[in-house]
Structures are given as C-alpha cells and as structure tokens.
Amino acid sequence: VPPLKQRDDFPEPRPDFQTAFRAPAPKLPAGSFGESGFRGAKTVALRLGGLTSVYSYLPDFEREIARCTLHWRQGAKSGSLEDNAFPFDFTVRPTSDAPLEYWFEVQLKSGPIEKSPVGSVRLQ
C-alpha cells in the first residue's frame, strides 16, 4: 500500500477560474456560428460566464484526412493549431470581442492538400 500523500504534494487551488466562470455572460450575437461548406466543418463561439472560446471541428466521415490545421486571425493576432488524428477539433481562446476569422487546411492520406474558404464568427 503506497503511503498517503502529504498536503504539500497537492497544487494550490486556483479559484480565479471559478470566478470567471460564474461571471455574468453577455449573450452571443447572430453570426456566432459558422459553416464554411468545407467537408462539413463547423465553428461556434461559446461563452460560459466570463470565459469565451471558439470551438471548431471537421468531421472526417470517409477517413480521408491525414492532417488538419486550423488557421485563425483576430485583429493583429493570428495562429494555427494542427491535429493529426480523428476527430479533428480545435479550441481557440479569443483575445478580444473582435470577429475571429478561420480557415482549414487538410492533407489527404492520398497526398493532396485542400484549403477551405475563410469563415468568421462574431463575438459581440
């Protein structure tokens, strides 16, 4: 039987997350959901309390995709997230209430690369 852990072995609680989560949440506007028509991809803004995120996913029902990259831009900030395994899903933490633009780039198992049109979700 392993010895019981000492109190010092546990991390300090971070209640700041709970405070943000419980904060009043302004309603998201029309346009906080996006479908680019590219391989069934969908993107949606989520607001839980004072926390906002943008969730994107690309279903690969035919299992043709070897790699998927989500590119995003919000004002002067931009980035990309890569996923090499199904399900291809991504979460972006917006840095402001400005619209967030996104597009997908996929590499098929057969080799070709495809890019989606640019979509946008509104956060205010």
Side-chain angles (χ1 to χ4, degrees), residues 35-62:
E35 290 183 277
S36 63
F38 178 75
R39 294 185 161 270
K42 294 180 178 26
T43 299
V44 63
L46 304 168
R47 186 165 286 150
L48 302 171
L51 304 173
T52 302
S53 61
V54 175
Y55 176 74
S56 293
Y57 69 94
L58 191 144
D60 182 24
F61 298 121
E62 290 81 30

mmCIF file of all heavy atoms in Angstrom, residues 35-62:
data_model
loop_
_atom_site.group_PDB
_atom_site.id
_atom_site.type_symbol
_atom_site.label_atom_id
_atom_site.label_comp_id
_atom_site.label_asym_id
_atom_site.label_seq_id
_atom_site.Cartn_x
_atom_site.Cartn_y
_atom_site.Cartn_z
ATOM 1 N N GLU A 35 -20.481 27.900 -40.724
ATOM 2 C CA GLU A 35 -20.297 26.719 -41.562
ATOM 3 C C GLU A 35 -19.718 27.207 -42.880
ATOM 4 O O GLU A 35 -20.335 28.018 -43.560
ATOM 5 C CB GLU A 35 -21.622 26.013 -41.825
ATOM 6 C CG GLU A 35 -22.202 25.328 -40.624
ATOM 7 C CD GLU A 35 -23.475 24.580 -40.972
ATOM 8 O OE1 GLU A 35 -24.530 25.230 -41.011
ATOM 9 O OE2 GLU A 35 -23.394 23.361 -41.204
ATOM 10 N N SER A 36 -18.537 26.725 -43.219
ATOM 11 C CA SER A 36 -17.887 27.204 -44.440
ATOM 12 C C SER A 36 -18.258 26.371 -45.669
ATOM 13 O O SER A 36 -17.863 26.702 -46.773
ATOM 14 C CB SER A 36 -16.368 27.190 -44.254
ATOM 15 O OG SER A 36 -15.913 25.865 -44.041
ATOM 16 N N GLY A 37 -19.003 25.273 -45.479
ATOM 17 C CA GLY A 37 -19.325 24.409 -46.607
ATOM 18 C C GLY A 37 -18.151 23.530 -47.011
ATOM 19 O O GLY A 37 -18.179 22.893 -48.057
ATOM 20 N N PHE A 38 -17.120 23.490 -46.190
ATOM 21 C CA PHE A 38 -15.914 22.718 -46.498
ATOM 22 C C PHE A 38 -15.901 21.439 -45.682
ATOM 23 O O PHE A 38 -15.728 21.473 -44.463
ATOM 24 C CB PHE A 38 -14.668 23.553 -46.177
ATOM 25 C CG PHE A 38 -13.365 22.843 -46.420
ATOM 26 C CD1 PHE A 38 -12.880 22.649 -47.696
ATOM 27 C CD2 PHE A 38 -12.615 22.374 -45.354
ATOM 28 C CE1 PHE A 38 -11.676 21.999 -47.921
ATOM 29 C CE2 PHE A 38 -11.399 21.724 -45.564
ATOM 30 C CZ PHE A 38 -10.941 21.536 -46.855
ATOM 31 N N ARG A 39 -16.176 20.309 -46.315
ATOM 32 C CA ARG A 39 -16.085 18.997 -45.683
ATOM 33 C C ARG A 39 -16.871 18.887 -44.377
ATOM 34 O O ARG A 39 -16.496 18.182 -43.465
ATOM 35 C CB ARG A 39 -14.628 18.598 -45.462
ATOM 36 C CG ARG A 39 -13.856 18.377 -46.741
ATOM 37 C CD ARG A 39 -12.448 17.872 -46.467
ATOM 38 N NE ARG A 39 -11.896 17.255 -47.648
ATOM 39 C CZ ARG A 39 -12.018 15.963 -47.959
ATOM 40 N NH1 ARG A 39 -12.642 15.144 -47.173
ATOM 41 N NH2 ARG A 39 -11.480 15.493 -49.075
ATOM 42 N N GLY A 40 -17.950 19.645 -44.257
ATOM 43 C CA GLY A 40 -18.800 19.566 -43.068
ATOM 44 C C GLY A 40 -18.272 20.302 -41.843
ATOM 45 O O GLY A 40 -18.794 20.146 -40.743
ATOM 46 N N ALA A 41 -17.239 21.130 -42.015
ATOM 47 C CA ALA A 41 -16.635 21.851 -40.887
ATOM 48 C C ALA A 41 -17.634 22.822 -40.261
ATOM 49 O O ALA A 41 -18.422 23.452 -40.958
ATOM 50 C CB ALA A 41 -15.398 22.606 -41.349
ATOM 51 N N LYS A 42 -17.561 22.939 -38.947
ATOM 52 C CA LYS A 42 -18.413 23.859 -38.204
ATOM 53 C C LYS A 42 -17.573 24.574 -37.150
ATOM 54 O O LYS A 42 -16.632 24.003 -36.600
ATOM 55 C CB LYS A 42 -19.547 23.108 -37.533
ATOM 56 C CG LYS A 42 -20.524 22.492 -38.519
ATOM 57 C CD LYS A 42 -21.619 21.756 -37.812
ATOM 58 C CE LYS A 42 -22.649 21.149 -38.719
ATOM 59 N NZ LYS A 42 -22.346 20.788 -40.034
ATOM 60 N N THR A 43 -17.939 25.819 -36.869
ATOM 61 C CA THR A 43 -17.245 26.627 -35.865
ATOM 62 C C THR A 43 -18.299 27.369 -35.060
ATOM 63 O O THR A 43 -19.240 27.913 -35.627
ATOM 64 C CB THR A 43 -16.272 27.614 -36.536
ATOM 65 O OG1 THR A 43 -15.312 26.866 -37.273
ATOM 66 C CG2 THR A 43 -15.552 28.460 -35.511
ATOM 67 N N VAL A 44 -18.120 27.389 -33.752
ATOM 68 C CA VAL A 44 -19.100 28.032 -32.884
ATOM 69 C C VAL A 44 -18.394 28.747 -31.738
ATOM 70 O O VAL A 44 -17.417 28.238 -31.195
ATOM 71 C CB VAL A 44 -20.130 27.008 -32.349
ATOM 72 C CG1 VAL A 44 -19.475 25.953 -31.488
ATOM 73 C CG2 VAL A 44 -21.250 27.693 -31.590
ATOM 74 N N ALA A 45 -18.871 29.946 -31.422
ATOM 75 C CA ALA A 45 -18.373 30.670 -30.256
ATOM 76 C C ALA A 45 -19.152 30.181 -29.043
ATOM 77 O O ALA A 45 -20.364 29.958 -29.117
ATOM 78 C CB ALA A 45 -18.544 32.168 -30.443
ATOM 79 N N LEU A 46 -18.465 29.999 -27.942
ATOM 80 C CA LEU A 46 -19.079 29.545 -26.692
ATOM 81 C C LEU A 46 -18.746 30.537 -25.594
ATOM 82 O O LEU A 46 -17.608 31.004 -25.496
ATOM 83 C CB LEU A 46 -18.526 28.170 -26.302
ATOM 84 C CG LEU A 46 -18.661 27.061 -27.332
ATOM 85 C CD1 LEU A 46 -17.813 25.866 -26.934
ATOM 86 C CD2 LEU A 46 -20.105 26.658 -27.453
ATOM 87 N N ARG A 47 -19.726 30.843 -24.783
ATOM 88 C CA ARG A 47 -19.477 31.760 -23.672
ATOM 89 C C ARG A 47 -20.071 31.127 -22.424
ATOM 90 O O ARG A 47 -21.266 30.894 -22.339
ATOM 91 C CB ARG A 47 -20.105 33.119 -23.953
ATOM 92 C CG ARG A 47 -19.740 34.141 -22.885
ATOM 93 C CD ARG A 47 -20.046 35.551 -23.316
ATOM 94 N NE ARG A 47 -19.071 35.995 -24.293
ATOM 95 C CZ ARG A 47 -19.334 36.874 -25.251
ATOM 96 N NH1 ARG A 47 -20.517 37.396 -25.374
ATOM 97 N NH2 ARG A 47 -18.384 37.233 -26.093
ATOM 98 N N LEU A 48 -19.207 30.830 -21.470
ATOM 99 C CA LEU A 48 -19.609 30.289 -20.183
ATOM 100 C C LEU A 48 -19.145 31.269 -19.124
ATOM 101 O O LEU A 48 -17.954 31.387 -18.857
ATOM 102 C CB LEU A 48 -18.980 28.916 -19.945
ATOM 103 C CG LEU A 48 -19.310 27.855 -21.003
ATOM 104 C CD1 LEU A 48 -18.462 26.614 -20.795
ATOM 105 C CD2 LEU A 48 -20.776 27.497 -20.946
ATOM 106 N N GLY A 49 -20.073 31.978 -18.553
ATOM 107 C CA GLY A 49 -19.694 33.011 -17.602
ATOM 108 C C GLY A 49 -18.863 34.057 -18.324
ATOM 109 O O GLY A 49 -19.201 34.495 -19.406
ATOM 110 N N GLY A 50 -17.742 34.435 -17.740
ATOM 111 C CA GLY A 50 -16.854 35.413 -18.355
ATOM 112 C C GLY A 50 -15.814 34.794 -19.264
ATOM 113 O O GLY A 50 -14.885 35.466 -19.698
ATOM 114 N N LEU A 51 -15.931 33.500 -19.566
ATOM 115 C CA LEU A 51 -14.956 32.807 -20.412
ATOM 116 C C LEU A 51 -15.530 32.605 -21.806
ATOM 117 O O LEU A 51 -16.629 32.087 -21.958
ATOM 118 C CB LEU A 51 -14.596 31.448 -19.805
ATOM 119 C CG LEU A 51 -14.077 31.465 -18.376
ATOM 120 C CD1 LEU A 51 -13.919 30.046 -17.858
ATOM 121 C CD2 LEU A 51 -12.761 32.210 -18.304
ATOM 122 N N THR A 52 -14.783 33.028 -22.818
ATOM 123 C CA THR A 52 -15.211 32.866 -24.205
ATOM 124 C C THR A 52 -14.192 32.019 -24.934
ATOM 125 O O THR A 52 -12.986 32.191 -24.767
ATOM 126 C CB THR A 52 -15.350 34.233 -24.901
ATOM 127 O OG1 THR A 52 -16.280 35.026 -24.176
ATOM 128 C CG2 THR A 52 -15.816 34.084 -26.334
ATOM 129 N N SER A 53 -14.676 31.097 -25.749
ATOM 130 C CA SER A 53 -13.789 30.309 -26.601
ATOM 131 C C SER A 53 -14.496 30.074 -27.931
ATOM 132 O O SER A 53 -15.697 30.265 -28.059
ATOM 133 C CB SER A 53 -13.412 28.977 -25.939
ATOM 134 O OG SER A 53 -14.560 28.207 -25.703
ATOM 135 N N VAL A 54 -13.710 29.685 -28.917
ATOM 136 C CA VAL A 54 -14.240 29.350 -30.238
ATOM 137 C C VAL A 54 -13.840 27.910 -30.507
ATOM 138 O O VAL A 54 -12.660 27.555 -30.452
ATOM 139 C CB VAL A 54 -13.690 30.295 -31.329
ATOM 140 C CG1 VAL A 54 -14.155 29.852 -32.707
ATOM 141 C CG2 VAL A 54 -14.134 31.728 -31.053
ATOM 142 N N TYR A 55 -14.838 27.073 -30.765
ATOM 143 C CA TYR A 55 -14.622 25.645 -30.986
ATOM 144 C C TYR A 55 -14.892 25.338 -32.453
ATOM 145 O O TYR A 55 -15.933 25.717 -32.994
ATOM 146 C CB TYR A 55 -15.549 24.838 -30.085
ATOM 147 C CG TYR A 55 -15.479 23.349 -30.309
ATOM 148 C CD1 TYR A 55 -14.387 22.616 -29.868
ATOM 149 C CD2 TYR A 55 -16.493 22.674 -30.975
ATOM 150 C CE1 TYR A 55 -14.315 21.244 -30.078
ATOM 151 C CE2 TYR A 55 -16.438 21.320 -31.181
ATOM 152 C CZ TYR A 55 -15.350 20.607 -30.735
ATOM 153 O OH TYR A 55 -15.279 19.252 -30.949
ATOM 154 N N SER A 56 -13.949 24.654 -33.096
ATOM 155 C CA SER A 56 -14.085 24.254 -34.498
ATOM 156 C C SER A 56 -13.858 22.764 -34.626
ATOM 157 O O SER A 56 -13.001 22.204 -33.944
ATOM 158 C CB SER A 56 -13.039 24.952 -35.373
ATOM 159 O OG SER A 56 -13.269 26.329 -35.438
ATOM 160 N N TYR A 57 -14.613 22.164 -35.506
ATOM 161 C CA TYR A 57 -14.352 20.751 -35.784
ATOM 162 C C TYR A 57 -14.626 20.449 -37.246
ATOM 163 O O TYR A 57 -15.397 21.125 -37.912
ATOM 164 C CB TYR A 57 -15.154 19.826 -34.865
ATOM 165 C CG TYR A 57 -16.642 19.828 -35.100
ATOM 166 C CD1 TYR A 57 -17.238 18.882 -35.929
ATOM 167 C CD2 TYR A 57 -17.453 20.772 -34.485
ATOM 168 C CE1 TYR A 57 -18.599 18.877 -36.131
ATOM 169 C CE2 TYR A 57 -18.820 20.763 -34.682
ATOM 170 C CZ TYR A 57 -19.391 19.813 -35.511
ATOM 171 O OH TYR A 57 -20.741 19.819 -35.713
ATOM 172 N N LEU A 58 -13.938 19.435 -37.712
ATOM 173 C CA LEU A 58 -14.066 18.999 -39.092
ATOM 174 C C LEU A 58 -14.283 17.492 -39.059
ATOM 175 O O LEU A 58 -13.365 16.748 -38.723
ATOM 176 C CB LEU A 58 -12.799 19.348 -39.874
ATOM 177 C CG LEU A 58 -12.905 19.185 -41.377
ATOM 178 C CD1 LEU A 58 -12.106 20.273 -42.077
ATOM 179 C CD2 LEU A 58 -12.410 17.847 -41.819
ATOM 180 N N PRO A 59 -15.503 17.042 -39.362
ATOM 181 C CA PRO A 59 -15.737 15.601 -39.358
ATOM 182 C C PRO A 59 -15.050 14.970 -40.571
ATOM 183 O O PRO A 59 -14.969 15.586 -41.620
ATOM 184 C CB PRO A 59 -17.259 15.487 -39.457
ATOM 185 C CG PRO A 59 -17.695 16.744 -40.117
ATOM 186 C CD PRO A 59 -16.695 17.801 -39.716
ATOM 187 N N ASP A 60 -14.547 13.803 -40.380
ATOM 188 C CA ASP A 60 -13.884 13.085 -41.476
ATOM 189 C C ASP A 60 -14.547 11.724 -41.599
ATOM 190 O O ASP A 60 -13.958 10.701 -41.285
ATOM 191 C CB ASP A 60 -12.379 12.957 -41.177
ATOM 192 C CG ASP A 60 -11.611 12.265 -42.280
ATOM 193 O OD1 ASP A 60 -12.079 12.267 -43.440
ATOM 194 O OD2 ASP A 60 -10.550 11.699 -41.991
ATOM 195 N N PHE A 61 -15.809 11.744 -42.032
ATOM 196 C CA PHE A 61 -16.582 10.516 -42.064
ATOM 197 C C PHE A 61 -15.985 9.470 -42.999
ATOM 198 O O PHE A 61 -16.097 8.280 -42.766
ATOM 199 C CB PHE A 61 -18.024 10.804 -42.455
ATOM 200 C CG PHE A 61 -18.723 11.699 -41.475
ATOM 201 C CD1 PHE A 61 -19.259 12.900 -41.892
ATOM 202 C CD2 PHE A 61 -18.830 11.354 -40.141
ATOM 203 C CE1 PHE A 61 -19.903 13.737 -40.993
ATOM 204 C CE2 PHE A 61 -19.464 12.182 -39.231
ATOM 205 C CZ PHE A 61 -20.011 13.376 -39.662
ATOM 206 N N GLU A 62 -15.331 9.910 -44.062
ATOM 207 C CA GLU A 62 -14.737 8.971 -45.019
ATOM 208 C C GLU A 62 -13.326 8.544 -44.612
ATOM 209 O O GLU A 62 -12.702 7.737 -45.273
ATOM 210 C CB GLU A 62 -14.698 9.593 -46.427
ATOM 211 C CG GLU A 62 -16.063 9.743 -47.060
ATOM 212 C CD GLU A 62 -16.811 10.978 -46.564
ATOM 213 O OE1 GLU A 62 -16.149 11.982 -46.221
ATOM 214 O OE2 GLU A 62 -18.049 10.927 -46.488
#
